[in-house]
Amino acid sequence: QETMEDEEEEDEEEEEDEEEDAMEEEPQEQPSKRRRVIASAELVQHDMGLGLPFRDGTFDGAISVSALQWLCYDNSSAQSAPRRLARFFGSLYSCLKRGSRAALQFYPQDDAQAT
């Protein structure tokens, strides 16, 4: 005779097995050096000051925490802060679906960066 605890333990074991199976699945495509598929997520390493590397209308929304302020610095004479910010915001606007929103948090170093 099974008790409620036995049923709960069986349910937990089934959920763990399903999670392990999902993690072991092979990605559909061969990931490049800069893209890796992790379970059901994809990690992309990219300089966002060069523009975001996604197709137009890809995302329903975007969140950025403490990344935007790094675009406020010149990397070189060809990579000025205004250019990097313009590329980022232009590509962000493009890769968001129509009606999407973005929540961006940054910590400006001084008043000049905040304006």
Side-chain angles (χ1 to χ4, degrees), residues 1-10:
Q1 183 177 18
E2 288 188 4
T3 65
M4 289 295 280
E5 288 178 4
D6 292 335
E7 288 177 15
E8 288 175 4
E9 285 178 22
E10 287 177 14

Side-chain angles (χ1 to χ4, degrees), residues 1-54:
Q1 183 177 18
E2 288 188 4
T3 65
M4 289 295 280
E5 288 178 4
D6 292 335
E7 288 177 15
E8 288 175 4
E9 285 178 22
E10 287 177 14
D11 289 342
E12 287 174 9
E13 288 174 7
E14 287 176 14
E15 287 175 11
E16 288 173 4
D17 290 342
E18 288 173 5
E19 288 174 5
E20 288 175 10
D21 290 343
M23 292 179 73
E24 291 174 3
E25 289 179 10
E26 292 295 318
Q28 299 290 338
E29 303 172 4
Q30 273 298 346
S32 70
K33 291 181 181 179
R34 295 239 182 241
R35 288 182 184 242
R36 292 187 296 162
V37 176
I38 303 171
S40 63
E42 186 174 344
L43 173 67
V44 177
Q45 181 181 353
H46 183 76
D47 180 356
M48 63 187 197
L50 300 175
L52 299 175
F54 304 106

